[in-house]
Each structure stands twice: as C-alpha cells, then as structure tokens.
Amino acid sequence: MMRPATSPRRARALASAGALGAAVLLSSCMSLSQQTTELKYDAADGVSATVGDLQVSDLLVVTSGKGTVGSLHGMVTNNGEAPAQLSIQPQGGKAGTISVPGLSAVRLDGQPSGNSTAPSAPLKIASVTTAPGAMLTISFKTPAGTTAVQTPVLLDQHPYGTATVTHAPDEQPTEQGDVAEAGGH
C-alpha cells in the first residue's frame, strides 16, 4: 500500500511544530540550571573571604613543606572609610594583626599594593601544620565578626615562592660528528 505524499503546507506545519518543540525543550533546560556568570568563584590560585568591611582576596600559603615556615600571600582591601584592624589566626599557629587604612589595600606578603601608603610587614606562619597541596584553616577576625577560610597551601616555587630550579648544563657538541650522533642522523 502506498502512502499519500505529504503536502507542502503540511510539511511546513510539521517543521514549524518541530522547531517550536525544540525551542521549548531547550529553553526549559536554561530555566532549570543556574547561569554560569552568576556562580561565585575565585579566578585565581588563592581564595577569598569577607569580614565586615574587609575583603580578603587571593589568599594562599607558600611553604617548603609541612612543619616549616610559611608565607601568607593575598590582599586585604578595606571598603570602609575608617582604618581597620584584622587579626589573622592560622590553624595551630600564632595570630598576627595588620592595620588596613580606610578605602585602601594591603598585601600580606609586605609588598606595596596600588594605592596603599602603609604596607604591612610580610606575614609568616612559624610552622605550617599541613603539607603543600592540602588546605589550612585560617581565621580572620574584626570587631564585625570572625570568618574561617580553607586556604590552599602551595609548594615554595614559581610564581609565588622563592625556590629556583637548577638544571644540569646542556652538553654542547664539540665536533661535527657529535652533532650527527646527538641528532640521530
């Protein structure tokens, strides 16, 4: 038995219905999932936290190993007009305090930071209680409250650390024959 041919009008109607169904299906997916641009994430190696008017950003610890001295890296920005004191307490370590002028920023590694007129001394942890690759809890305290932050611990190497890698010097061929042998020709 032969099927009757589909009329052009019916074909257009079916194509339109199919397109409408696909549009409805795809738009329902968008309404069920959060937009990527609305997700909060740290676009850096370090993490962020907020304590009152203070914003801590790109926070991380650099160390050569568990039980050794660690350096805090990151920046504290004071979004308030009044100067603020921030107490920093690493897990298993001694607390330190820095002063952050109003509407200014201070780097935790002691380097100057943009508009900062009062950089702090570099903040160190006498003995880091976790190994590089793990997280260390650091608490930040102001009169507005306390925030505990899981902070990444990185190995003392580029770009944050001071350790350098040394390589054996390249062997240089001394005769024409050595080049052919080294190149495998």
Side-chain angles (χ1 to χ4, degrees):
M1 181 166 132
M2 225 167 167
R3 284 179 61 184
T6 305
S7 70
R9 180 179 283 170
R10 183 173 177 176
R12 282 191 301 266
L14 287 173
S16 296
L20 179 63
V24 168
L25 179 64
L26 291 174
S27 66
S28 68
C29 290
M30 292 300 291
S31 66
L32 296 176
S33 61
Q34 186 177 22
Q35 289 180 347
T36 304
T37 56
E38 292 178 356
L39 298 175
K40 183 186 178 318
Y41 72 100
D42 290 305
D45 293 329
V47 294
S48 299
T50 302
V51 186
D53 285 337
L54 300 180
Q55 174 68 41
V56 180
S57 56
D58 202 15
L59 176 69
L60 53 91
V61 175
V62 176
T63 186
S64 60
K66 183 177 180 179
T68 62
V69 174
S71 300
L72 278 175
H73 288 253
M75 185 172 299
V76 180
T77 304
N78 184 350
N79 295 312
E81 292 185 13
Q85 294 289 104
L86 178 66
S87 174
I88 302 169
Q89 174 75 50
Q91 174 185 351
K94 183 179 170 187
T97 302
I98 63 167
S99 225
V100 186
L103 301 174
S104 189
V106 172
R107 286 179 49 166
L108 298 175
D109 62 2
Q111 299 296 316
S113 57
N115 66 350
S116 179
T117 56
S120 73
L123 293 175
K124 303 282 185 186
I125 300 172
S127 179
V128 178
T129 58
T130 59
M135 302 295 257
L136 176 69
T137 302
I138 299 179
S139 295
F140 295 92
K141 183 178 181 181
T142 68
T146 301
T147 300
V149 180
Q150 291 295 310
T151 307
V153 178
L154 302 181
L155 192 57
D156 183 9
Q157 62 187 19
H158 181 74
Y160 298 105
T162 58
T164 57
V165 178
T166 56
H167 299 283
D170 290 337
E171 291 186 26
Q172 297 296 322
T174 55
E175 296 179 14
Q176 188 70 0
D178 290 341
V179 174
E181 289 174 17
H185 297 288

